[in-house]
């Protein structure tokens, strides 16, 4: 593969009893095996910035990651800083010589095709004339399948050197030229990794959608491998969560589709944290909450954290006190999660709205002072906030400033929702009934014939 998920994330504090709350809910080591090793570097830098683990421990983890790439000079610099020395181990020096030698070798092998693919104008002309293919290039430019394969190896090499822009530019013509579908599919993963690491979120969004279609189109892939590929794609899409305008909506939609939800429940239930945040912070996905809470309850034995517990407190137990108290823990989890740290305020705002909305649905009269205290807000600020929440939630309510109460009217039942609920299983029941009638008819016909 042009790039492949890291087989193992760097090991950090494992003693659960002595772990801090930030360490206890940190998922870096859990998500690490599903990411390319280059993607682990920004995660480790984030943990260092947050001081989640000792700095030297994280530097050792980063060193372990980098040593498996071609970024040997960076690895050497970290080693020197970590050990306060100007010398590096012999194996690092040997590795550097190996990388330099490989660079010279690959440069020679790829030079004929490299000159062509780096000429954007020439490539564009050939594509327009539908001549950018192996047979034409071999006939007119002496570009052989060996050169095309060398282009793949060279793209992987420069990617491992940290030159993601160059690697991305090389993978595009490689995918057009290769006749090997496995190599083309592998290059799609590599291209996506490049866009993520360059923070080109719009292009990454397009590449994730294309890769999703490619995974489902590969009918001959063993089911277990497709399951694994879906798990990888979901983890890679986490980078979109707080970085792309449609990131949360996309994650909610992707994770909730049947095959991907099955992958979550089968191999990676920890992704329920990210699904919960995506759904809760995306108003158009509020219809998923009921099913989400059901899945969270089913998978509680496999994964549970303050965010999933908050949803259970609110929707399963209707424990508003516990749900409100849980928000402080949720804030800490979000703040210390690389993928969710910029979703904290949106999550808390949405969570308070859902608490207020559910609380209002089962009460006719609410004391403003009591509500302000629960929300940790000043009375006037709480009153303004409640006015906005009533409007956003479209509740039949008004504020009596003289008595200091929120007065709730009776919520009329949603006729459309009632119809949907009552007819939800109608199609299936009709199908079963038709099958039973057909079986009886066949049985009766057989008995009459005998």
């Amino acid at each position: 593969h042009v790039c492949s998920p890291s087989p193992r994330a760097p090991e950090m504090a494992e003693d659960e009893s002595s772990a801090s709350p930030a360490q206890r809910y940190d998922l870096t080591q859990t998500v690490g095996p599903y990411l390319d090793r280059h993607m682990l570097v920004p995660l480790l830098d984030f943990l260092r910035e947050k001081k989640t683990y000792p700095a030297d421990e994280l530097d050792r983890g980063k060193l372990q990651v980098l040593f498996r790439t071609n970024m040997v000079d960076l690895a050497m610099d970290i080693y020197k800083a970590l050990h306060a020395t100007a010398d590096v181990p012999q194996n690092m020096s040997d590795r550097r010589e190996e990388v330099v030698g490989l660079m010279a070798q690959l440069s020679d092998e790829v030079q004929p095709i490299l000159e062509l693919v780096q000429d954007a104008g020439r490539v564009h002309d050939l594509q327009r004339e539908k001549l950018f293919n192996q047979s034409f290039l071999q006939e007119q430019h002496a570009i052989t399948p060996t050169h095309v394969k060398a282009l793949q190896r060279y793209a992987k090499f420069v990617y491992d050197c940290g030159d993601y822009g160059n690697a991305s530019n090389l993978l595009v013509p490689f995918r057009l030229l290769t006749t090997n579908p496995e190599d083309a599919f592998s290059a799609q993963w590599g291209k996506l990794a490049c866009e993520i690491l360059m923070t080109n979120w719009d292009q990454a969004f397009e590449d994730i959608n294309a890769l999703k279609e490619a995974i489902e189109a590969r009918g001959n892939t063993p089911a277990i491998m497709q399951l694994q590929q879906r798990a990888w794609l979901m983890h890679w899409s986490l980078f979109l969560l707080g970085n792309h305008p449609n990131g949360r909506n996309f994650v909610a939609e992707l994770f909730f589709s049947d095959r991907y939800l099955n992958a979550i429940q089968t191999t990676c239930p920890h992704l329920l944290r990210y699904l919960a945040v995506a759904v809760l912070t995306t108003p158009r996905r509020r219809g998923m909450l009921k099913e989400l809470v059901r899945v969270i309850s089913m998978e509680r034995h496999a994964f549970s954290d303050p965010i999933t517990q908050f949803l259970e407190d609110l929707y399963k137990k209707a424990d508003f006190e516990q749900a409100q108290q849980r928000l402080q823990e949720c804030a800490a989890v979000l703040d210390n999660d690389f993928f969710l740290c910029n979703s904290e305020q949106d999550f808390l705002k949405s969570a308070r709205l859902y608490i207020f909305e559910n609380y209002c649905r089962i009460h006719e009269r609410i004391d403003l002072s009591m509500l302000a205290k629960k929300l940790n807000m000043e009375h006037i600020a709480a009153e303004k906030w409640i006015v906005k929440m009533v409007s956003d939630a479209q509740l039949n309510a008004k504020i009596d400033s003289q008595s200091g109460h929120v007065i709730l009217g009776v919520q009329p039942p949603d006729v459309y929702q009632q119809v949907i609920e009552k007819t939800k299983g109608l199609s299936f029941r009709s199908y079963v009934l038709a099958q039973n009638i057909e079986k009886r008819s066949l049985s009766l016909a057989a008995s009459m014939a005998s």
Side-chain angles (χ1 to χ4, degrees):
H1 286 279
V2 170
C3 72
S4 56
S6 176
R8 185 180 178 87
E11 294 185 2
M12 290 168 279
E14 294 183 356
D15 186 357
E16 191 73 20
S17 59
S18 62
S20 67
Q23 291 173 352
R24 192 178 310 122
Y25 295 118
D26 174 42
L27 293 179
T28 304
Q29 292 182 82
T30 307
V31 304
Y34 297 92
L35 302 176
D36 180 79
R37 59 177 56 91
H38 289 253
M39 296 175 186
L40 292 173
V41 174
L43 270 68
L44 294 173
D45 288 341
F46 174 82
L47 294 176
R48 198 179 198 280
E49 182 185 335
K50 289 291 182 180
K51 300 179 180 178
T52 307
Y53 301 95
D56 60 338
E57 196 173 321
L58 290 166
D59 285 342
R60 281 195 292 271
K62 191 174 179 180
L63 198 60
Q64 179 185 338
V65 170
L66 290 173
F67 195 67
R68 296 184 181 184
T69 71
N70 293 335
M71 294 188 282
V72 187
D73 288 340
L74 180 56
M76 286 180 168
D77 291 341
I78 293 173
Y79 181 89
K80 290 174 184 176
L82 184 61
H83 297 279
T85 179
D87 301 319
V88 295
Q90 186 60 43
N91 66 332
M92 276 194 169
S93 300
D94 293 343
R95 173 67 178 146
R96 190 179 190 284
E97 288 183 16
E98 180 187 340
V99 169
V100 171
L102 186 57
M103 178 187 290
Q105 178 191 331
L106 284 174
S107 296
D108 289 340
E109 291 178 7
V110 81
Q111 195 58 39
I113 192 173
L114 197 59
E115 290 177 0
L116 175 66
V117 299
Q118 287 182 335
D119 184 346
R122 180 65 177 141
V123 170
H124 176 72
D125 291 342
L126 289 171
Q127 284 182 285
R128 188 181 55 198
E129 296 166 13
K130 298 183 179 179
L131 297 173
F132 194 66
N133 53 65
Q134 276 200 34
S135 58
F136 179 80
L137 293 183
Q138 185 166 1
E139 182 181 336
Q140 297 295 324
H141 297 275
I143 301 295
T144 67
T146 304
H147 289 123
V148 175
K149 193 67 179 175
L151 183 64
Q152 180 191 29
R153 292 199 304 274
Y154 186 71
K156 174 69 167 70
F157 178 84
V158 297
Y159 174 85
D160 272 337
C161 289
D163 189 356
Y164 308 122
N166 193 14
S168 176
N169 291 335
L170 293 173
L171 287 172
V172 173
F174 170 75
R175 284 187 59 214
L176 294 172
L177 291 173
T178 184
T179 56
N180 186 323
E182 290 299 320
D183 286 346
F185 182 63
S186 176
Q188 273 191 275
W189 286 97
K191 172 76 162 47
L192 173 57
C194 292
E195 303 305 337
I196 288 173
L197 291 163
M198 290 190 296
T199 67
N200 290 339
W201 303 122
D202 287 338
Q203 188 59 53
F205 182 76
E206 290 182 23
D207 289 351
I208 285 175
N209 276 300
L211 199 47
K212 177 189 173 187
E213 292 178 10
I215 289 171
E216 302 310 322
R218 289 161 57 84
N220 295 328
T221 305
I224 188 68
M225 178 56 74
Q226 277 195 320
L227 185 73
Q228 190 176 39
Q229 288 166 355
R230 291 183 192 117
W232 291 345
L233 189 65
M234 283 189 287
H235 283 83
W236 290 29
S237 69
L238 293 178
F239 286 91
L240 296 180
L241 264 177
N243 294 307
H244 190 277
N246 197 37
R248 293 173 193 161
N249 181 55
F250 174 77
V251 165
E253 183 180 14
L254 177 69
F255 287 22
F256 237 113
S257 55
D258 290 342
R259 291 173 176 175
Y260 284 81
L261 189 59
N262 177 51
I264 290 175
Q265 294 181 272
T266 306
T267 64
C268 40
H270 54 273
L271 289 181
L272 287 172
R273 170 189 293 183
Y274 304 100
L275 177 56
V277 173
V279 170
L280 211 68
T281 56
T282 308
R284 74 177 80 170
R285 297 296 174 185
R286 64 182 295 144
M288 294 177 170
L289 274 169
K290 184 177 179 181
E291 178 64 14
L292 174 61
V293 173
R294 186 188 71 81
V295 174
I296 284 173
S297 298
M298 286 174 56
E299 300 301 325
R300 188 191 305 116
H301 67 284
F303 179 78
S304 180
D305 73 356
I307 293 169
T308 60
Q309 290 162 12
F310 164 78
L311 286 173
E312 286 196 280
D313 290 337
L314 184 58
Y315 287 97
K316 199 170 179 65
K317 303 173 185 175
D319 189 337
F320 300 104
E321 289 278 351
Q322 184 60 46
Q324 177 62 37
Q325 292 172 15
R326 190 84 68 184
L327 287 184
Q328 192 171 354
E329 295 179 68
C330 290
V333 170
L334 293 163
D335 186 53
N336 288 284
D337 190 302
F338 174 84
F339 300 106
L340 299 174
C341 58
N342 51 7
S343 301
E344 181 182 346
Q345 293 307 314
D346 288 339
F347 176 87
L348 294 177
K349 178 183 174 182
S350 298
R352 289 193 180 106
L353 170 61
Y354 283 119
I355 290 173
F356 178 71
E357 184 180 330
N358 282 275
Y359 191 80
C360 287
R361 292 195 191 284
I362 59 174
H363 292 81
E364 293 182 357
R365 199 177 183 88
I366 304 170
D367 189 312
L368 268 173
S369 299
M370 179 272 295
L371 203 56
K373 186 177 179 181
K374 286 184 180 296
L375 295 171
N376 294 319
M377 299 171 75
E378 295 292 332
H379 186 91
I380 295 175
E383 188 171 333
K384 290 180 179 178
W385 182 85
I386 289 165
V387 169
K388 188 175 186 311
M389 292 302 105
V390 167
S391 174
D392 290 347
Q394 298 182 338
L395 296 172
N396 181 16
K398 65 179 182 178
I399 295 177
D400 186 343
S401 298
Q402 288 187 341
S403 65
H405 284 82
V406 181
I407 302 171
L408 283 303
V410 177
Q411 291 295 112
D414 188 329
V415 176
Y416 298 106
Q417 191 60 37
Q418 285 185 330
V419 171
I420 290 170
E421 290 293 331
K422 289 184 181 296
T423 59
K424 190 178 286 183
L426 192 59
S427 175
F428 177 72
R429 291 198 298 271
S430 300
Y431 172 77
V432 172
L433 184 61
Q435 290 290 99
N436 289 337
I437 291 172
E438 186 179 352
K439 284 181 183 177
R440 284 195 175 189
S441 298
L442 292 172
S443 176
L444 183 61
S447 62
M448 289 177 68
S450 61

